[in-house]
Amino acid sequence: MNYLVTLSYDGSNFHGWAKQLNVRTVQEEVEKMLQKIFNRSISVYVSGRTDAHVHAIAQTFSFNVKKIKIKPQVLLLALRKLSPSDIYFVKVKENDAMFHARFNTKNKTYQYVVNFDKYDVFKANYELFYPTKINLPLLKKGAKLFVGEHDFKSFTTSVFENTVRKINYIHFKKNQSKLFIIVNGNGFLRNMVRMIVGSLLDLNENKKTLNDLKKLLKEPAKGNAITKARACGLYLLKVNY
């Protein structure tokens, strides 16, 4: 059986997705639950890792199990029964034996939430408090520079040699108190969305210019964008296959 699982999680109390020593991670919690259900060690393959304190509305992972077949709906109910309060399993489906949650991904959508109005202590872990006037036309000009295929080495701390990625779109939604920055691309490097958002907010405050952003893309160097928006405002919104 090859299962594809969709789940949501509140990243506030997690040190990211990937298993690490002596810290709580989403992967470790998920694999412990699966081990209880299948009575064997299970390794899962995620669509893409999220960093510490980053949230997910619809993260996905896949895994294979030999000689044991559990119907997807039964597995979903079992996972929900075992899950802690900050993880919710949305759905489980069967897939082709060769399916892989990461390698079969077509694109992903992230959302970043900015609160530019009043500080809310109860939402401090779920949005960036940014009490600054939003220059939306300028942000849109800056966002256009990122769309398309670029070398995003300046916007990541990744150790990957290949840092070329394609951004399909960056959209903005704004109401009286919040700005939502929605980014879709074929893949994302470590801290890439947070550094793009950080650079756009620097642009908003005149700490960076449009020419600065162009230069960071044309002359890529690891982490040169420097500014990284806090993890609390970032959500993995959707993974498309």
Side-chain angles (χ1 to χ4, degrees):
M1 292 289 290
N2 189 339
Y3 296 97
L4 175 65
V5 181
T6 303
L7 74 161
S8 304
Y9 49 85
D10 176 346
S12 304
N13 295 317
F14 288 109
H15 201 77
W17 169 271
K19 285 193 293 188
Q20 301 165 62
L21 291 175
N22 304 317
V23 292
R24 186 173 182 242
T25 67
V26 183
Q27 183 181 4
E28 183 179 27
E29 292 281 357
V30 166
E31 291 184 351
K32 284 194 299 185
M33 286 182 264
L34 290 171
Q35 184 170 7
K36 287 183 180 180
I37 293 168
F38 289 97
N39 197 30
R40 64 176 67 178
S41 179
I42 301 287
S43 295
V44 303
Y45 304 97
V46 72
S47 71
R49 298 177 179 183
T50 49
D51 293 331
H53 314 306
V54 173
H55 314 290
I57 303 297
Q59 174 66 281
T60 57
F61 67 85
S62 60
F63 67 96
N64 289 287
V65 181
K66 295 180 179 179
K67 298 181 181 179
I68 298 177
K69 185 173 183 178
I70 298 178
K71 291 181 179 180
Q73 190 60 28
V74 174
L75 177 57
L76 177 63
L77 294 174
L79 286 167
R80 286 179 177 174
K81 186 175 181 180
L82 292 171
S83 62
S85 60
D86 47 7
I87 295 178
Y88 179 74
F89 290 92
V90 179
K91 62 182 177 181
V92 177
K93 62 177 288 190
E94 282 184 56
N95 261 314
D96 180 88
M98 299 303 293
F99 180 87
H100 192 288
R102 177 185 171 192
F103 299 132
N104 286 94
T105 301
K106 291 181 179 178
N107 59 74
K108 299 177 191 175
T109 305
Y110 280 89
Q111 175 174 272
Y112 198 91
V113 182
V114 178
N115 170 18
F116 56 84
D117 190 26
K118 296 178 182 178
Y119 180 75
D120 187 338
V121 67
F122 298 108
K123 294 183 179 178
N125 292 330
Y126 308 103
E127 59 189 21
L128 175 69
F129 179 57
Y130 180 77
T132 306
K133 186 177 179 180
I134 300 295
N135 185 342
L136 194 55
L138 181 60
L139 289 182
K140 288 181 177 180
K141 287 180 181 178
K144 284 182 180 180
L145 299 176
F146 294 107
V147 175
E149 188 171 88
H150 302 281
D151 187 337
F152 284 95
K153 186 178 287 187
S154 297
F155 297 89
T156 182
T157 57
S158 175
V159 297
F160 292 154
E161 290 185 9
N162 180 11
T163 49
V164 174
R165 297 292 187 274
K166 182 181 180 182
I167 296 294
N168 297 316
Y169 61 78
I170 299 179
H171 292 164
F172 298 90
K173 294 181 181 179
K174 183 174 176 285
N175 58 30
Q176 292 182 339
S177 62
K178 290 183 176 59
L179 175 71
F180 302 88
I181 305 172
I182 300 132
V183 185
N184 177 276
N186 68 350
F188 294 92
L189 300 158
R190 185 177 184 185
N191 293 320
M192 180 174 157
V193 177
R194 291 169 61 191
M195 293 183 85
I196 288 173
V197 170
S199 291
L200 288 173
L201 295 181
D202 279 350
L203 179 68
N204 186 70
E205 297 176 62
N206 297 314
K207 293 178 180 178
K208 283 188 176 81
T209 66
L210 291 171
N211 284 332
D212 290 332
L213 299 188
K214 290 176 184 177
K215 187 174 181 180
L216 288 166
L217 291 167
K218 288 182 178 179
E219 301 176 15
K222 185 178 177 181
N224 265 13
I226 301 174
T227 308
K228 182 168 56 177
R230 289 182 60 208
C232 61
L234 185 60
Y235 297 75
L236 175 56
L237 204 60
K238 190 175 182 182
V239 182
N240 292 312
Y241 292 102

